[in-house]
Amino acid sequence: MEPIFVGGQVVSAGAVREVLDPWTGEAFASTPVADGGIAERAVLACVSAFERTRRMPAYARRDLCSRVAELLRARAEPLALVLAREAGKPIALARLEVARAAMTFAIAAEVAVRARGEVMSLDLSEAHSVYSGSFVHVPRGPVLAFAPFNFPLNLVAHKVAPALACGASVLVKPAPKTPLSALALAAIVREAGAPDDAMQVLPCDDSVAERLVRDDRFAVFTFTGSARVGYMLKAISGKKQVILELGGNAAAIVHEDAPELARALDGLTASAFGYAGQVCIKTQRIYVHHARYDEVVSGLVARAHELVPEEPVSAKGFLGPVVDDANGARIGSWIDEATAKGARALHLGSRDKNRLGATVLETLGDTAGMRVVEEEAFGPVLVVRPYGTLDEACALVNRSRYGLQAALFTDSSRAIAEAYDVLDVGGLVVNDTPSVRSDAMPYGGVKDSGLGREGVAFAVAEYTAPKMLVSRRLAR
């Protein structure tokens, strides 16, 4: 059983949760499940730790984050194997996630020593002529972080690294299916020399999690997951600063002048089907100019035909399984619903519980009620549709209630400017897929895709608040 640390000590709980390998369906590890009493101890420890973390000088925060990055690189292969087992992530993508987590902490080390403040002119009127001012950004208080199952290491890192960089303690509730990566990261943070309880990981059930969200001793709540759950938790979060990184339904536009089409199709295939599509910025919809439509569709179908689910630890693994049988059944039902409502299956992937092949659907008319078009599929399904004008394509992209990222393949600066102005998304990627994410950039969306931004420097801005110093010049 993997231990949990609360108040700097290993604690045991009455309840235990098994960790299942999504590929085999078999348990290979277990964790304690914290009850309300353990959770209270963890909150008290987090509040106490904040009094130490907030006083850490910048160099100490920088050095801590650097050591975490170094340890992540040193433990890369064991961590990647944990990701492959608990999340069903193909090993090549698991290795990439560990590398990105190390980069996230390396960025945090640099952010930790950035100046965060300003000297202000306050003598803007005769009444204020004797005043001068300055401000610095200080951590708001302890951070409560809820992480998802699909990136159980790097998306935890994106919540923890900014906290350590700015001097905040953080309590992480990992996804129930994937707690091991977060627990491993907490052990690394302790080994790197963090103050006791600067980072705690608390597997718990929903009732305990909701109690944590309501707790006013946390100043910040950061959540990655579904829009339904995220907005429900925001409603009960009280006075906290809230950051929500929620769902997506990412679209790509392939314009008539799209360059390097073979490379684009390789990228779109990887974006749509890699890790069984369990990425919130995976390509779910592609709108193709009618002049390139046949070429694009035939290329996508040919590539999808080659993809079948494979064991995550296999060197050839690309799809892997979806996280569980229930999600496999859900995705299959959405595909069936779409075909019943008029979508045409250009390639229909195999189905065996949570092992789904790649599916490509074509829509030409009304898509009302097709959840593969309207909602976040989070599975290996792709919908394609032709368009005539860029205005039409942008309108189709914007029809979604989500607005995380989108992509545009074109050589036209005018088309780029138009799409950037019109598309209602948090980010536009040009000549690559909507799955592109640098760990330094401001990442987040609009509409039902969330509130606030991640990316270390931008998360630090969410975790901190300006504190003002006003000085009156004394008479001589």
Side-chain angles (χ1 to χ4, degrees):
M1 181 183 299
E2 297 297 323
I4 59 175
F5 285 76
V6 173
Q9 298 179 335
V10 176
V11 300
S12 59
V16 173
R17 180 181 291 142
E18 292 183 328
V19 181
L20 304 181
D21 182 327
W23 181 255
T24 65
E26 298 175 354
F28 71 99
S30 62
T31 64
V33 180
D35 59 18
I38 293 174
E40 175 62 18
R41 289 168 57 190
V43 175
L44 289 171
C46 193
V47 171
S48 177
F50 179 71
E51 293 306 313
R52 298 187 295 278
T53 58
R54 66 188 289 264
R55 291 183 170 86
M56 290 177 68
Y59 81 87
R61 290 181 267 119
R62 175 198 62 201
D63 293 350
L64 172 60
C65 291
S66 291
R67 286 193 293 270
V68 173
E70 291 167 4
L71 289 169
L72 284 167
R73 295 187 189 103
R75 315 270 168 82
E77 192 61 17
L79 287 168
L81 288 171
V82 169
L83 284 168
R85 292 295 304 280
E86 72 171 345
K89 180 164 289 191
I91 190 65
L93 297 179
R95 290 173 179 140
L96 177 60
E97 181 171 349
V98 178
R100 286 185 58 193
M103 176 59 69
T104 299
F105 276 94
I107 295 167
E110 187 270 328
V111 170
V113 293
R114 286 185 190 173
R116 294 197 304 275
E118 186 178 324
V119 175
M120 296 187 67
S121 296
L122 300 181
D123 52 348
L124 306 181
S125 68
E126 182 176 355
H128 294 92
S129 61
V130 295
Y131 296 106
S132 61
S134 61
F135 67 87
V136 295
H137 288 266
V138 298
R140 295 175 184 271
V143 174
L144 176 64
F146 285 14
F149 78 83
N150 60 327
F151 285 84
L153 180 64
N154 193 39
L155 291 187
V156 172
H158 267 284
K159 299 179 185 307
V160 173
L164 299 182
C166 73
S169 56
V170 57
L171 177 62
V172 176
K173 187 199 83 68
K177 296 180 185 299
T178 55
L180 304 180
S181 300
L183 289 166
L185 178 60
I188 285 174
V189 169
R190 289 193 298 273
E191 184 180 343
D196 285 346
D197 307 310
M199 176 190 176
Q200 298 176 91
V201 175
L202 198 70
C204 60
D205 62 24
D206 289 347
S207 63
V208 173
E210 289 186 20
R211 188 184 311 176
L212 292 172
V213 175
R214 295 179 188 275
D215 197 316
D216 285 339
R217 288 171 290 183
F218 291 105
V220 177
F221 173 52
T222 172
F223 171 88
T224 301
S226 72
R228 179 186 62 82
V229 175
Y231 283 113
M232 180 275 291
L233 294 175
K234 177 180 180 293
I236 65 172
S237 64
K239 299 174 288 186
K240 297 174 185 64
Q241 176 80 354
V242 176
I243 304 101
L244 301 178
E245 297 299 331
L246 306 177
N249 183 350
I253 299 171
V254 181
H255 205 37
E256 59 185 322
D257 61 347
E260 301 178 356
L261 195 58
R263 180 190 62 81
L265 292 177
D266 287 342
L268 289 167
T269 301
S271 172
F273 304 121
Y275 187 28
Q278 296 172 115
V279 180
C280 54
I281 44 176
K282 82 100 169 181
T283 304
Q284 183 168 325
R285 299 172 291 152
I286 302 180
Y287 300 111
V288 187
H289 191 275
H290 62 76
R292 311 295 293 273
Y293 189 72
D294 290 344
E295 182 182 7
V296 167
V297 167
S298 63
L300 289 171
V301 169
R303 288 164 171 81
H305 183 73
E306 300 298 319
L307 301 177
V308 295
E310 293 176 291
E311 187 175 7
V313 296
S314 165
K316 299 186 299 180
F318 178 76
L319 250 68
V322 297
V323 68
D324 55 28
D325 291 353
N327 275 284
R330 174 190 59 79
I331 296 161
S333 71
W334 286 19
I335 293 169
D336 293 342
E337 172 189 75
T339 57
K341 291 179 179 294
R344 185 163 71 101
L346 302 178
H347 178 75
L348 202 57
S350 60
R351 300 183 203 171
D352 182 11
K353 297 181 179 179
N354 68 332
R355 301 182 186 184
L356 304 180
T359 289
V360 182
L361 303 175
E362 178 186 62
T363 62
L364 299 175
D366 183 17
T367 58
M370 291 187 192
R371 283 175 287 185
V372 293
V373 177
E374 296 178 345
E375 300 296 333
E376 180 178 38
F378 228 61
V381 57
L382 174 66
V383 180
V384 296
R385 178 172 181 153
Y387 72 87
T389 66
L390 186 59
D391 285 346
E392 177 189 352
C394 290
L396 289 167
V397 173
N398 284 344
R399 194 173 291 175
S400 172
R401 68 187 180 96
Y402 296 103
L404 195 44
Q405 290 195 167
L408 171 64
F409 292 83
T410 183
D411 251 352
S412 167
S413 58
R414 177 178 293 181
I416 294 168
E418 179 182 343
Y420 186 64
D421 180 58
V422 169
L423 290 176
D424 199 8
V425 292
L428 174 64
V429 181
V430 176
N431 290 327
D432 211 322
T433 76
S435 301
V436 171
R437 178 183 178 182
S438 162
D439 293 295
M441 75 190 207
Y443 176 77
V446 298
K447 300 190 285 189
D448 279 357
S449 287
L451 304 168
R453 293 294 182 269
E454 288 191 343
V456 180
F458 302 91
V460 165
E462 304 277 359
Y463 290 9
T464 59
K467 186 175 184 179
M468 189 73 196
L469 176 65
V470 179
S471 297
R472 180 187 177 99
R473 186 170 64 252
L474 299 177
R476 295 180 180 177

